[in-house]
């Protein structure tokens, strides 16, 4: 759909884009997106409910899992209104304050997820390398401090981005390529120099995702060294098995992020649909898959969810009788 030019409107709004050229199919395209969003919401709420209601799961590992579920839920909800708004109502117009607010939450929660994954790797390191002091090192108070510090670090580092973008004059275009607002895309629309935004963006990524990924790698190197020193093969496999879910979560987060970065930096010749799909994969796949992975690979979570479903079935049968 062509957007009529309006100078006063252009100063106050951006225009989001769904799948360009497929506007007539947006109703059908919305079906898989609705399914994904519904699965993300139900899956993460189920994880949170199971952890909250089962006292046996009130342990550090599951507290960190609850943080991951909350972060994934927030990341999902931060993109849902604009994505479904475009597909259902062709609501492409978004005010600059609303756009910058969405940008803040998307980028903040992405960094929080990286921090939570680091906290979970620390949890696995302490559990395997120093099991006798596990409960004294990872106390509830310390876990809360780790969670709050992750949120505070991410929010403070992302907070300057909307203000850096606000100082620009956008004379080229106000049409964004995605169905939500991202810093890298918005700053490219500015008329003036964006070198400060580039440098600050790289600084934020380096001191958050870069440092977190390095520390996660280091923690697993230490875990592997400890596991290989265990004499019993069965004990080695048991120790490594407790890390499988977390390793999957790390891969689900970092692989799409690296892929999206490579596409943005070196994939200018690629079709636009590739850029769109990579951005959706980065934002939707981790929140979608994390509850599934932990439900399948974590025995305690799987058993509790099964019991919940059994209870619901029994309740239905009781009411029918």
């Amino acid at each position: 759909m062509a957007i009529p030019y309006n100078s006063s409107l252009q100063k106050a709004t951006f225009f989001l884009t769904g799948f360009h050229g497929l506007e007539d199919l947006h109703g059908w395209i919305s079906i898989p997106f609705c399914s994904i969003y519904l699965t993300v919401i139900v899956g993460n709420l189920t994880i949170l409910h199971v952890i909250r209601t089962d006292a046996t799961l009130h342990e550090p590992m599951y507290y960190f899992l609850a943080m991951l579920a909350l972060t994934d839920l927030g990341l999902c909800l931060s993109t849902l209104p604009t994505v479904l708004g475009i597909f259902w109502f062709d609501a492409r117009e978004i005010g600059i304050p609303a756009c910058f607010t969405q940008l803040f939450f998307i980028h903040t929660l992405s960094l929080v997820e990286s921090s939570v994954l680091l906290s979970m790797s620390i949890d696995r390191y302490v559990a395997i390398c120093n099991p006798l002091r596990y409960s004294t090192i990872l106390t509830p108070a310390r876990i809360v401090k780790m969670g709050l510090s992750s949120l505070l670090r991410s929010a403070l580092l992302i907070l300057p981005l909307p203000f850096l973008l606000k100082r620009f004059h956008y004379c080229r275009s106000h049409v964004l390529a995605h169905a939500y607002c991202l810093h890298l895309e918005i700053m490219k629309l500015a008329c003036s120099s964006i070198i400060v935004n580039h440098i600050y963006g790289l600084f934020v990524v380096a001191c958050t995702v870069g440092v977190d990924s390095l520390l996660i790698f280091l923690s697993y190197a230490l875990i592997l060294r400890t596991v290989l020193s265990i004499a019993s093969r069965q004990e080695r496999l048991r120790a490594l098995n407790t890390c499988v879910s977390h390793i999957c979560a790390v891969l689900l987060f970092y692989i799409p992020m690296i892929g999206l970065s490579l596409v943005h930096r070196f994939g200018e010749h690629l079709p636009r649909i590739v850029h769109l799909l990579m951005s959706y994969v980065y934002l939707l796949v981790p929140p979608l898959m994390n509850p599934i992975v932990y439900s399948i690979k974590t025995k305690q979570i799987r058993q509790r969810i099964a019991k919940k479903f059994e209870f619901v079935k029994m309740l239905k049968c009781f009411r029918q009788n």
Side-chain angles (χ1 to χ4, degrees), residues 148-175:
L148 290 177
S149 63
S150 298
L151 180 60
L152 190 62
R153 181 191 73 162
S154 303
L156 289 177
L157 285 172
I158 295 299
L159 187 60
L161 291 183
F163 296 99
L164 289 173
L165 292 172
K166 190 177 180 180
R167 65 192 176 93
F168 290 137
H169 178 59
Y170 300 96
C171 59
R172 295 175 185 172
S173 170
H174 275 229
V175 181

Side-chain angles (χ1 to χ4, degrees), residues 60 126 130-140:
V126 176
N130 206 344
L132 297 179
R133 297 185 58 201
Y134 181 69
S135 58
T136 58
I137 293 176
L138 293 175
T139 61

Side-chain angles (χ1 to χ4, degrees), residues 254-314:
Y254 283 104
I255 289 177
M257 174 181 282
I258 294 169
L260 182 62
S261 299
L262 292 175
V263 166
H264 273 303
R265 295 289 187 275
F266 309 109
E268 294 182 0
H269 63 285
L270 294 173
R272 186 170 167 275
I273 189 70
V274 176
H275 292 257
L276 280 176
L277 290 177
M278 282 303 301
S279 67
Y280 284 123
V281 166
Y282 167 61
L283 289 175
L284 294 179
V285 167
L288 173 68
M289 294 304 299
N290 284 337
I292 297 173
V293 167
Y294 274 93
S295 298
I296 293 173
K297 296 301 297 180
T298 306
K299 183 180 178 181
Q300 292 84 345
I301 295 290
R302 185 173 66 249
Q303 289 178 341
R304 300 310 184 276
I305 292 175
K307 285 183 179 179
K308 294 289 182 184
F309 280 110
E310 287 177 4
F311 176 77
V312 171
K313 288 181 180 178
M314 290 175 60

Side-chain angles (χ1 to χ4, degrees), residues 65-192:
L65 177 56
M67 290 182 195
L68 185 65
L70 276 173
T71 306
D72 284 339
L73 195 58
L75 195 57
C76 163
L77 295 176
S78 64
T79 61
L80 184 148
T82 52
V83 171
L84 295 187
I86 289 174
F87 289 149
W88 287 352
F89 309 111
D90 196 31
R92 303 177 61 196
E93 195 176 314
I94 183 171
I96 288 180
C99 183
F100 288 174
T101 300
Q102 184 185 50
L103 175 152
F104 172 78
F105 280 106
I106 290 175
H107 290 296
T108 297
L109 290 169
S110 294
L111 297 187
V112 170
E113 180 140 354
S114 176
S115 299
V116 172
L117 291 172
L118 172 60
S119 299
M120 296 174 84
S121 72
I122 294 172
D123 168 76
R124 290 299 84 208
Y125 166 75
V126 176
I128 293 173
C129 301
N130 206 344
L132 297 179
R133 297 185 58 201
Y134 181 69
S135 58
T136 58
I137 293 176
L138 293 175
T139 61
R142 188 162 291 163
I143 292 169
V144 170
K145 289 178 182 177
M146 291 171 71
L148 290 177
S149 63
S150 298
L151 180 60
L152 190 62
R153 181 191 73 162
S154 303
L156 289 177
L157 285 172
I158 295 299
L159 187 60
L161 291 183
F163 296 99
L164 289 173
L165 292 172
K166 190 177 180 180
R167 65 192 176 93
F168 290 137
H169 178 59
Y170 300 96
C171 59
R172 295 175 185 172
S173 170
H174 275 229
V175 181
L176 303 176
H178 298 90
Y180 37 78
C181 300
L182 298 174
H183 172 253
L184 183 62
E185 186 181 6
I186 294 175
M187 74 175 183
K188 287 181 178 179
L189 302 180
C191 305
S192 51

